[in-house]
Amino acid sequence: MDYSALIACHECDLLQRRVRLHGGAVARCRRCAAELYRDSPHGIERSLACTLAALLLFLIANAYPIVGLEVQGNRQEASLYDTVHTLWIQDRKDVALLIAVTTMVAPAIEIGLLLYLLFPLQLNRLAAGAVPILRFLDTVHPWSMMEVFVLGILVSLVKLEHLAHVEAGIALWAFGGLIPVLIAAANAFNSDEIWAKVSVLR
Amino acid sequence: MSRSALTAAQLGYYGCHACNLVAPVQPGRHDAVCVRCGHHLHLRKPDSVTRSWAFLIAGYILYVPANVLPIMHTSSLFGAQSDTIMSGVVYLWTSGSWHLALIVFIASILVPSAKLLAMTFLLLSVQRRSVWDPLQRTKMYRIVELVGRWSMLDIFVVAILVALVQLQSLATIEAGLGAVAFGAVVVLTMFAAMEFDPRLIWDPQGGRRG
Ligand SMILES: [Zn+2]
Ligand SMILES: [Zn+2]
Ligand SMILES: [Zn+2]
């Protein structure tokens, strides 16, 4: 028997038969309505495009200052790295690490591994170690918190407005652009299809 | 409403937790591995309830210093000031940014407290094999998973303020111990939610609908 025709809901374990989907439709569990799988037209191409855009924006977000502050002619700028570095030298290494992991390390790993998987997959080839990498991506994903960081920037800007003149840096725009790109990437990435493709290519 | 539907577990099928492939497993076998991805096959996440409780209780313990200790010390020519999470919200409110005060209140106070309570409720209901509205409880779990990360907001705000004001002669801002405790609460409750297995909510139902 071909068990790939069956699916067990990952939230309530109800066993269901797969149906073929068209036009970007989503299959939901008939008992708990969890999303089981979906049809994502050109899913791999779209994920690849979104991930490349995310890489570009992520590099800009890391390379340029997020905000500038001007007090009595003094100008101070802070980049993402500065936030980690300052906490580190203030001996708040634990908080520094938490910020580094959630805004730099996890997003970088996620973007890097996705590109490493998706480029060969697009050409119907399988990257070495694709299976453990796909599993690892599930573990990394919750710790990548760039969208929360963007909200953090906005709140800090308002808090500082009362103290000094604040200016948005280039990285702020890059961060702002990352949010829709990340949402689009998450929508395009169809892990069910990718797992199926991986098992065919192996 | 009852309906003849069966779960994978009732039929002796295991759904792989990593790649979702369904496979039959002989009863009593504990060494089965997913043919597609090599993940160890198990019916439910192992020791899900115990592990989830452990993270949750640690979260409760650190919740106290997270709210009592200052997350930020500001010192300037005009004096020194320490801010807890709550006083930060009050500051935003009184300075007229009530919309931001609301956002920070939701992210830093409402979400962490509600998350601790919701996870406690879910774990107790699962341990007592409750059959009360599994659909509502599943939705509750989904919300917990979705909103938990937003509590990192205040930690990010502190980090950005610290970096920006660092080299100003005007003032210095330092992250307080409360920030460490608060960050730990966010991480611990995220682990608690990850360890929890929502299938346990439905297990007492058998194949019945909610
Ligand atoms: Zn379900
Ligand atoms: Zn598992
Ligand atoms: Zn698997």
Short mmCIF file of all heavy atoms in Angstrom, two decimals, chain B residues 39-99:
data_model
loop_
_atom_site.label_atom_id
_atom_site.label_comp_id
_atom_site.label_asym_id
_atom_site.label_seq_id
_atom_site.Cartn_x
_atom_site.Cartn_y
_atom_site.Cartn_z
N HIS B 39 13.83 10.56 10.94
CA HIS B 39 13.45 10.99 12.28
C HIS B 39 12.92 9.78 13.06
O HIS B 39 12.24 8.93 12.50
CB HIS B 39 12.36 12.06 12.16
CG HIS B 39 11.99 12.72 13.45
ND1 HIS B 39 12.76 13.69 14.03
CD2 HIS B 39 10.92 12.55 14.26
CE1 HIS B 39 12.18 14.10 15.14
NE2 HIS B 39 11.06 13.42 15.32
N HIS B 40 13.25 9.74 14.35
CA HIS B 40 12.74 8.69 15.22
C HIS B 40 11.21 8.78 15.24
O HIS B 40 10.66 9.84 15.43
CB HIS B 40 13.31 8.91 16.63
CG HIS B 40 12.97 7.82 17.58
ND1 HIS B 40 13.72 6.66 17.65
CD2 HIS B 40 11.98 7.70 18.47
CE1 HIS B 40 13.18 5.88 18.56
NE2 HIS B 40 12.12 6.48 19.07
N LEU B 41 10.54 7.65 15.02
CA LEU B 41 9.07 7.69 14.99
C LEU B 41 8.50 7.45 16.38
O LEU B 41 8.87 6.52 17.07
CB LEU B 41 8.52 6.62 14.04
CG LEU B 41 8.62 6.89 12.54
CD1 LEU B 41 8.09 5.70 11.77
CD2 LEU B 41 7.84 8.14 12.17
N HIS B 42 7.61 8.33 16.77
CA HIS B 42 6.90 8.14 18.02
C HIS B 42 5.49 8.66 17.85
O HIS B 42 5.24 9.53 17.03
CB HIS B 42 7.61 8.82 19.19
CG HIS B 42 8.33 10.07 18.78
ND1 HIS B 42 9.64 10.32 19.09
CD2 HIS B 42 7.92 11.13 18.05
CE1 HIS B 42 10.00 11.48 18.58
NE2 HIS B 42 8.99 11.99 17.95
N LEU B 43 4.56 8.10 18.65
CA LEU B 43 3.17 8.49 18.51
C LEU B 43 2.98 9.94 18.91
O LEU B 43 2.34 10.72 18.23
CB LEU B 43 2.29 7.62 19.41
CG LEU B 43 1.84 6.30 18.81
CD1 LEU B 43 1.01 5.54 19.81
CD2 LEU B 43 1.05 6.53 17.53
N ARG B 44 3.54 10.31 20.08
CA ARG B 44 3.44 11.67 20.60
C ARG B 44 4.84 12.12 20.94
O ARG B 44 5.72 11.30 21.17
CB ARG B 44 2.54 11.70 21.85
CG ARG B 44 1.14 11.12 21.62
CD ARG B 44 0.31 12.02 20.71
NE ARG B 44 -0.97 11.40 20.35
CZ ARG B 44 -1.22 10.82 19.19
NH1 ARG B 44 -0.29 10.74 18.25
NH2 ARG B 44 -2.41 10.31 18.93
N LYS B 45 5.03 13.42 21.03
CA LYS B 45 6.35 13.91 21.42
C LYS B 45 6.73 13.27 22.76
O LYS B 45 5.92 13.28 23.69
CB LYS B 45 6.33 15.44 21.58
CG LYS B 45 6.10 16.17 20.28
CD LYS B 45 6.08 17.68 20.50
CE LYS B 45 5.57 18.40 19.27
NZ LYS B 45 5.26 19.83 19.52
N PRO B 46 7.94 12.72 22.87
CA PRO B 46 8.29 11.99 24.10
C PRO B 46 8.33 12.91 25.33
O PRO B 46 8.84 14.01 25.26
CB PRO B 46 9.68 11.42 23.82
CG PRO B 46 10.09 11.93 22.49
CD PRO B 46 8.99 12.71 21.87
N ASP B 47 7.76 12.42 26.43
CA ASP B 47 7.71 13.15 27.71
C ASP B 47 7.22 14.59 27.54
O ASP B 47 7.64 15.48 28.27
CB ASP B 47 9.10 13.18 28.38
CG ASP B 47 9.64 11.79 28.59
OD1 ASP B 47 8.83 10.90 28.93
OD2 ASP B 47 10.84 11.58 28.37
N SER B 48 6.32 14.76 26.57
CA SER B 48 5.86 16.10 26.24
C SER B 48 5.35 16.86 27.46
O SER B 48 5.74 18.00 27.71
CB SER B 48 4.78 15.95 25.18
OG SER B 48 3.93 17.03 25.17
N VAL B 49 4.47 16.22 28.26
CA VAL B 49 3.84 16.93 29.38
C VAL B 49 4.87 17.29 30.45
O VAL B 49 4.90 18.43 30.92
CB VAL B 49 2.69 16.07 29.95
CG1 VAL B 49 2.13 16.69 31.22
CG2 VAL B 49 1.58 15.92 28.92
N THR B 50 5.72 16.34 30.81
CA THR B 50 6.73 16.59 31.84
C THR B 50 7.67 17.72 31.42
O THR B 50 7.95 18.64 32.19
CB THR B 50 7.58 15.33 32.07
OG1 THR B 50 6.71 14.21 32.05
CG2 THR B 50 8.33 15.41 33.37
N ARG B 51 8.16 17.65 30.19
CA ARG B 51 9.11 18.67 29.73
C ARG B 51 8.45 20.04 29.66
O ARG B 51 9.02 21.05 30.04
CB ARG B 51 9.63 18.31 28.34
CG ARG B 51 10.57 17.13 28.38
CD ARG B 51 11.20 16.97 27.03
NE ARG B 51 11.77 15.65 26.87
CZ ARG B 51 12.44 15.25 25.81
NH1 ARG B 51 12.62 16.09 24.81
NH2 ARG B 51 12.94 14.04 25.74
N SER B 52 7.22 20.04 29.15
CA SER B 52 6.50 21.30 29.03
C SER B 52 6.30 21.92 30.42
O SER B 52 6.51 23.12 30.61
CB SER B 52 5.17 21.04 28.33
OG SER B 52 4.57 22.24 27.99
N TRP B 53 5.91 21.08 31.40
CA TRP B 53 5.76 21.58 32.78
C TRP B 53 7.07 22.16 33.29
O TRP B 53 7.09 23.21 33.93
CB TRP B 53 5.33 20.45 33.73
CG TRP B 53 3.85 20.30 33.94
CD1 TRP B 53 3.13 19.16 33.74
CD2 TRP B 53 2.92 21.29 34.41
NE1 TRP B 53 1.81 19.38 34.04
CE2 TRP B 53 1.65 20.67 34.46
CE3 TRP B 53 3.03 22.62 34.77
CZ2 TRP B 53 0.50 21.35 34.87
CZ3 TRP B 53 1.88 23.31 35.18
CH2 TRP B 53 0.64 22.67 35.22
N ALA B 54 8.17 21.46 33.05
CA ALA B 54 9.46 21.92 33.57
C ALA B 54 9.78 23.32 33.06
O ALA B 54 10.15 24.22 33.83
CB ALA B 54 10.57 20.94 33.17
N PHE B 55 9.61 23.53 31.74
CA PHE B 55 9.89 24.87 31.19
C PHE B 55 8.90 25.90 31.74
O PHE B 55 9.27 27.03 32.02
CB PHE B 55 9.81 24.83 29.66
CG PHE B 55 11.00 24.16 29.02
CD1 PHE B 55 10.84 23.03 28.25
CD2 PHE B 55 12.28 24.67 29.21
CE1 PHE B 55 11.94 22.41 27.65
CE2 PHE B 55 13.39 24.07 28.62
CZ PHE B 55 13.21 22.93 27.84
N LEU B 56 7.64 25.46 31.87
CA LEU B 56 6.62 26.40 32.33
C LEU B 56 6.87 26.84 33.77
O LEU B 56 6.78 28.03 34.09
CB LEU B 56 5.24 25.74 32.20
CG LEU B 56 4.07 26.70 32.32
CD1 LEU B 56 4.05 27.66 31.15
CD2 LEU B 56 2.75 25.93 32.38
N ILE B 57 7.21 25.90 34.64
CA ILE B 57 7.45 26.24 36.04
C ILE B 57 8.67 27.17 36.16
O ILE B 57 8.64 28.17 36.87
CB ILE B 57 7.62 24.95 36.88
CG1 ILE B 57 6.26 24.25 36.98
CG2 ILE B 57 8.17 25.27 38.28
CD1 ILE B 57 6.31 22.83 37.50
N ALA B 58 9.71 26.86 35.39
CA ALA B 58 10.87 27.76 35.38
C ALA B 58 10.45 29.15 34.91
O ALA B 58 10.91 30.17 35.44
CB ALA B 58 11.96 27.19 34.47
N GLY B 59 9.55 29.19 33.93
CA GLY B 59 9.03 30.46 33.44
C GLY B 59 8.29 31.23 34.52
O GLY B 59 8.49 32.43 34.70
N TYR B 60 7.43 30.52 35.29
CA TYR B 60 6.70 31.15 36.39
C TYR B 60 7.67 31.75 37.41
O TYR B 60 7.47 32.85 37.89
CB TYR B 60 5.83 30.11 37.12
CG TYR B 60 4.41 30.01 36.61
CD1 TYR B 60 3.95 28.85 35.99
CD2 TYR B 60 3.54 31.07 36.75
CE1 TYR B 60 2.66 28.74 35.52
CE2 TYR B 60 2.23 30.97 36.29
CZ TYR B 60 1.79 29.81 35.68
OH TYR B 60 0.51 29.72 35.22
N ILE B 61 8.74 30.98 37.75
CA ILE B 61 9.67 31.44 38.77
C ILE B 61 10.34 32.74 38.31
O ILE B 61 10.43 33.71 39.06
CB ILE B 61 10.71 30.34 39.08
CG1 ILE B 61 9.99 29.15 39.74
CG2 ILE B 61 11.84 30.86 39.97
CD1 ILE B 61 10.84 27.91 39.86
N LEU B 62 10.79 32.76 37.05
CA LEU B 62 11.50 33.96 36.57
C LEU B 62 10.55 35.11 36.24
O LEU B 62 10.99 36.24 36.07
CB LEU B 62 12.34 33.59 35.35
CG LEU B 62 13.59 32.80 35.74
CD1 LEU B 62 14.24 32.18 34.52
CD2 LEU B 62 14.58 33.72 36.45
N TYR B 63 9.26 34.80 36.16
CA TYR B 63 8.28 35.84 35.87
C TYR B 63 8.30 36.92 36.94
O TYR B 63 8.10 38.11 36.66
CB TYR B 63 6.89 35.20 35.78
CG TYR B 63 5.79 36.14 35.39
CD1 TYR B 63 5.65 36.56 34.08
CD2 TYR B 63 4.89 36.62 36.33
CE1 TYR B 63 4.65 37.43 33.71
CE2 TYR B 63 3.88 37.49 35.97
CZ TYR B 63 3.77 37.89 34.66
OH TYR B 63 2.77 38.76 34.30
N VAL B 64 8.56 36.51 38.19
CA VAL B 64 8.57 37.47 39.31
C VAL B 64 9.72 38.48 39.15
O VAL B 64 9.45 39.69 39.02
CB VAL B 64 8.63 36.73 40.67
CG1 VAL B 64 8.66 37.73 41.81
CG2 VAL B 64 7.44 35.79 40.78
N PRO B 65 11.00 38.04 39.10
CA PRO B 65 12.06 39.05 38.89
C PRO B 65 11.92 39.82 37.59
O PRO B 65 12.28 40.99 37.52
CB PRO B 65 13.36 38.22 38.90
CG PRO B 65 12.95 36.81 38.73
CD PRO B 65 11.56 36.69 39.28
N ALA B 66 11.34 39.18 36.57
CA ALA B 66 11.19 39.86 35.28
C ALA B 66 10.31 41.10 35.42
O ALA B 66 10.49 42.08 34.72
CB ALA B 66 10.60 38.91 34.25
N ASN B 67 9.33 41.03 36.33
CA ASN B 67 8.42 42.16 36.48
C ASN B 67 8.81 43.10 37.61
O ASN B 67 8.42 44.27 37.60
CB ASN B 67 6.99 41.65 36.69
CG ASN B 67 6.39 41.19 35.39
OD1 ASN B 67 5.94 41.99 34.59
ND2 ASN B 67 6.44 39.88 35.15
N VAL B 68 9.56 42.58 38.60
CA VAL B 68 9.89 43.39 39.76
C VAL B 68 11.20 44.14 39.55
O VAL B 68 11.32 45.32 39.88
CB VAL B 68 9.97 42.50 41.02
CG1 VAL B 68 10.48 43.29 42.21
CG2 VAL B 68 8.59 41.91 41.32
N LEU B 69 12.20 43.47 38.97
CA LEU B 69 13.51 44.10 38.79
C LEU B 69 13.48 45.06 37.61
O LEU B 69 12.73 44.86 36.65
CB LEU B 69 14.57 43.02 38.54
CG LEU B 69 14.84 42.05 39.70
CD1 LEU B 69 15.88 41.02 39.28
CD2 LEU B 69 15.30 42.81 40.93
N PRO B 70 14.30 46.10 37.67
CA PRO B 70 14.34 47.04 36.54
C PRO B 70 14.93 46.39 35.30
O PRO B 70 15.88 45.61 35.39
CB PRO B 70 15.25 48.17 37.05
CG PRO B 70 15.91 47.67 38.27
CD PRO B 70 15.15 46.51 38.79
N ILE B 71 14.34 46.69 34.15
CA ILE B 71 14.91 46.18 32.91
C ILE B 71 15.92 47.18 32.35
O ILE B 71 16.69 46.86 31.46
CB ILE B 71 13.85 45.84 31.84
CG1 ILE B 71 12.96 47.03 31.54
CG2 ILE B 71 13.02 44.65 32.22
CD1 ILE B 71 12.22 46.85 30.22
N MET B 72 15.90 48.40 32.88
CA MET B 72 16.73 49.44 32.30
C MET B 72 17.08 50.49 33.35
O MET B 72 16.23 50.91 34.12
CB MET B 72 15.91 50.09 31.17
CG MET B 72 16.67 50.90 30.20
SD MET B 72 15.60 51.21 28.76
CE MET B 72 14.65 52.58 29.32
N HIS B 73 18.38 50.87 33.40
CA HIS B 73 18.81 51.98 34.26
C HIS B 73 19.22 53.14 33.37
O HIS B 73 20.05 52.97 32.49
CB HIS B 73 20.02 51.58 35.11
CG HIS B 73 19.79 50.38 35.97
ND1 HIS B 73 19.04 50.44 37.13
CD2 HIS B 73 20.19 49.09 35.85
CE1 HIS B 73 19.01 49.24 37.68
NE2 HIS B 73 19.69 48.39 36.92
N THR B 74 18.67 54.31 33.64
CA THR B 74 19.07 55.50 32.89
C THR B 74 19.76 56.45 33.86
O THR B 74 19.22 56.73 34.92
CB THR B 74 17.84 56.22 32.30
OG1 THR B 74 16.98 55.24 31.74
CG2 THR B 74 18.26 57.21 31.24
N SER B 75 20.96 56.92 33.52
CA SER B 75 21.55 57.96 34.36
C SER B 75 21.97 59.12 33.47
O SER B 75 22.56 58.94 32.41
CB SER B 75 22.74 57.42 35.14
OG SER B 75 23.56 56.65 34.31
N SER B 76 21.61 60.31 33.91
CA SER B 76 21.92 61.51 33.14
C SER B 76 22.27 62.63 34.10
O SER B 76 22.31 62.42 35.31
CB SER B 76 20.72 61.91 32.28
OG SER B 76 19.67 62.33 33.12
N LEU B 77 22.52 63.80 33.57
CA LEU B 77 22.82 64.97 34.39
C LEU B 77 21.68 65.26 35.37
O LEU B 77 21.88 65.81 36.44
CB LEU B 77 23.04 66.19 33.50
CG LEU B 77 24.26 66.13 32.58
CD1 LEU B 77 24.23 67.28 31.59
CD2 LEU B 77 25.54 66.14 33.41
N PHE B 78 20.51 64.88 34.97
CA PHE B 78 19.32 65.21 35.78
C PHE B 78 19.00 64.14 36.81
O PHE B 78 17.99 64.18 37.47
CB PHE B 78 18.12 65.44 34.87
CG PHE B 78 18.44 66.27 33.68
CD1 PHE B 78 18.48 65.72 32.41
CD2 PHE B 78 18.76 67.62 33.83
CE1 PHE B 78 18.80 66.49 31.30
CE2 PHE B 78 19.08 68.39 32.73
CZ PHE B 78 19.10 67.83 31.46
N GLY B 79 19.87 63.14 36.92
CA GLY B 79 19.64 62.12 37.93
C GLY B 79 19.55 60.74 37.33
O GLY B 79 19.67 60.57 36.12
N ALA B 80 19.33 59.77 38.18
CA ALA B 80 19.27 58.39 37.73
C ALA B 80 17.85 57.87 37.86
O ALA B 80 17.07 58.33 38.69
CB ALA B 80 20.22 57.52 38.53
N GLN B 81 17.53 56.89 37.00
CA GLN B 81 16.16 56.37 36.99
C GLN B 81 16.21 54.90 36.60
O GLN B 81 17.01 54.51 35.75
CB GLN B 81 15.37 57.17 35.95
CG GLN B 81 13.89 56.88 35.94
CD GLN B 81 13.23 57.51 34.72
OE1 GLN B 81 13.74 58.47 34.14
NE2 GLN B 81 12.12 56.94 34.32
N SER B 82 15.39 54.11 37.25
CA SER B 82 15.29 52.71 36.88
C SER B 82 13.88 52.42 36.42
O SER B 82 12.92 52.89 37.01
CB SER B 82 15.64 51.81 38.08
OG SER B 82 17.00 51.92 38.37
N ASP B 83 13.80 51.64 35.34
CA ASP B 83 12.49 51.33 34.78
C ASP B 83 12.21 49.85 34.82
O ASP B 83 13.02 49.05 34.37
CB ASP B 83 12.43 51.80 33.32
CG ASP B 83 11.98 53.23 33.21
OD1 ASP B 83 10.90 53.54 33.76
OD2 ASP B 83 12.70 54.04 32.60
N THR B 84 11.04 49.50 35.35
CA THR B 84 10.58 48.13 35.21
C THR B 84 9.73 48.08 33.94
O THR B 84 9.48 49.11 33.31
CB THR B 84 9.71 47.69 36.40
OG1 THR B 84 8.60 48.57 36.48
CG2 THR B 84 10.50 47.74 37.70
N ILE B 85 9.26 46.90 33.59
CA ILE B 85 8.42 46.79 32.41
C ILE B 85 7.17 47.65 32.55
O ILE B 85 6.81 48.41 31.66
CB ILE B 85 8.05 45.31 32.19
CG1 ILE B 85 9.33 44.57 31.84
CG2 ILE B 85 6.97 45.15 31.14
CD1 ILE B 85 9.21 43.30 31.16
N MET B 86 6.56 47.56 33.74
CA MET B 86 5.31 48.29 33.97
C MET B 86 5.55 49.80 33.93
O MET B 86 4.78 50.54 33.32
CB MET B 86 4.71 47.87 35.32
CG MET B 86 3.26 48.25 35.49
SD MET B 86 2.26 47.46 34.20
CE MET B 86 0.75 48.37 34.35
N SER B 87 6.64 50.27 34.55
CA SER B 87 6.86 51.72 34.57
C SER B 87 7.17 52.24 33.16
O SER B 87 6.88 53.39 32.85
CB SER B 87 7.96 52.09 35.56
OG SER B 87 9.23 51.71 35.07
N GLY B 88 7.75 51.37 32.32
CA GLY B 88 7.97 51.75 30.93
C GLY B 88 6.65 51.99 30.21
O GLY B 88 6.51 52.94 29.44
N VAL B 89 5.68 51.12 30.48
CA VAL B 89 4.35 51.28 29.86
C VAL B 89 3.70 52.55 30.38
O VAL B 89 3.15 53.34 29.61
CB VAL B 89 3.46 50.05 30.18
CG1 VAL B 89 2.05 50.28 29.68
CG2 VAL B 89 4.05 48.79 29.57
N VAL B 90 3.81 52.78 31.70
CA VAL B 90 3.20 53.97 32.30
C VAL B 90 3.83 55.23 31.70
O VAL B 90 3.13 56.20 31.38
CB VAL B 90 3.36 53.95 33.84
CG1 VAL B 90 2.93 55.27 34.46
CG2 VAL B 90 2.57 52.79 34.42
N TYR B 91 5.17 55.18 31.51
CA TYR B 91 5.85 56.34 30.92
C TYR B 91 5.30 56.65 29.53
O TYR B 91 5.00 57.80 29.22
CB TYR B 91 7.36 56.08 30.85
CG TYR B 91 8.09 57.13 30.06
CD1 TYR B 91 8.37 58.38 30.62
CD2 TYR B 91 8.47 56.90 28.74
CE1 TYR B 91 9.01 59.36 29.90
CE2 TYR B 91 9.12 57.88 28.00
CZ TYR B 91 9.38 59.10 28.57
OH TYR B 91 10.01 60.07 27.84
N LEU B 92 5.16 55.61 28.71
CA LEU B 92 4.64 55.83 27.37
C LEU B 92 3.22 56.41 27.43
O LEU B 92 2.85 57.29 26.67
CB LEU B 92 4.63 54.52 26.58
CG LEU B 92 5.95 54.06 25.97
CD1 LEU B 92 5.82 52.67 25.38
CD2 LEU B 92 6.42 55.04 24.90
N TRP B 93 2.44 55.89 28.37
CA TRP B 93 1.05 56.32 28.50
C TRP B 93 0.98 57.79 28.89
O TRP B 93 0.29 58.59 28.26
CB TRP B 93 0.35 55.45 29.54
CG TRP B 93 -1.11 55.75 29.67
CD1 TRP B 93 -1.69 56.69 30.49
CD2 TRP B 93 -2.19 55.14 28.96
NE1 TRP B 93 -3.04 56.69 30.32
CE2 TRP B 93 -3.38 55.76 29.38
CE3 TRP B 93 -2.25 54.12 27.99
CZ2 TRP B 93 -4.62 55.39 28.89
CZ3 TRP B 93 -3.50 53.76 27.49
CH2 TRP B 93 -4.66 54.39 27.93
N THR B 94 1.75 58.18 29.92
CA THR B 94 1.66 59.55 30.42
C THR B 94 2.31 60.55 29.46
O THR B 94 1.97 61.72 29.47
CB THR B 94 2.32 59.69 31.81
OG1 THR B 94 3.63 59.12 31.72
CG2 THR B 94 1.54 58.98 32.88
N SER B 95 3.25 60.06 28.61
CA SER B 95 3.86 61.00 27.68
C SER B 95 3.03 61.13 26.41
O SER B 95 3.45 61.75 25.44
CB SER B 95 5.29 60.56 27.35
OG SER B 95 5.26 59.33 26.67
N GLY B 96 1.86 60.55 26.42
CA GLY B 96 0.91 60.79 25.33
C GLY B 96 0.93 59.75 24.22
O GLY B 96 0.10 59.81 23.32
N SER B 97 1.89 58.80 24.26
CA SER B 97 1.91 57.77 23.21
C SER B 97 1.06 56.58 23.65
O SER B 97 1.56 55.49 23.84
CB SER B 97 3.33 57.30 22.94
OG SER B 97 4.24 58.35 23.04
N TRP B 98 -0.23 56.83 23.79
CA TRP B 98 -1.07 55.76 24.35
C TRP B 98 -1.17 54.55 23.44
O TRP B 98 -1.30 53.42 23.89
CB TRP B 98 -2.47 56.29 24.69
CG TRP B 98 -3.22 56.77 23.49
CD1 TRP B 98 -3.23 58.04 23.01
CD2 TRP B 98 -4.03 55.98 22.62
NE1 TRP B 98 -3.99 58.10 21.87
CE2 TRP B 98 -4.50 56.86 21.61
CE3 TRP B 98 -4.41 54.64 22.59
CZ2 TRP B 98 -5.32 56.41 20.59
CZ3 TRP B 98 -5.23 54.20 21.56
CH2 TRP B 98 -5.68 55.08 20.58
N HIS B 99 -1.05 54.76 22.12
CA HIS B 99 -1.12 53.61 21.20
C HIS B 99 0.10 52.70 21.39
O HIS B 99 -0.02 51.49 21.40
CB HIS B 99 -1.27 54.06 19.75
CG HIS B 99 -0.39 55.19 19.36
ND1 HIS B 99 -0.52 56.46 19.90
CD2 HIS B 99 0.65 55.26 18.51
CE1 HIS B 99 0.40 57.25 19.38
NE2 HIS B 99 1.13 56.55 18.55
#
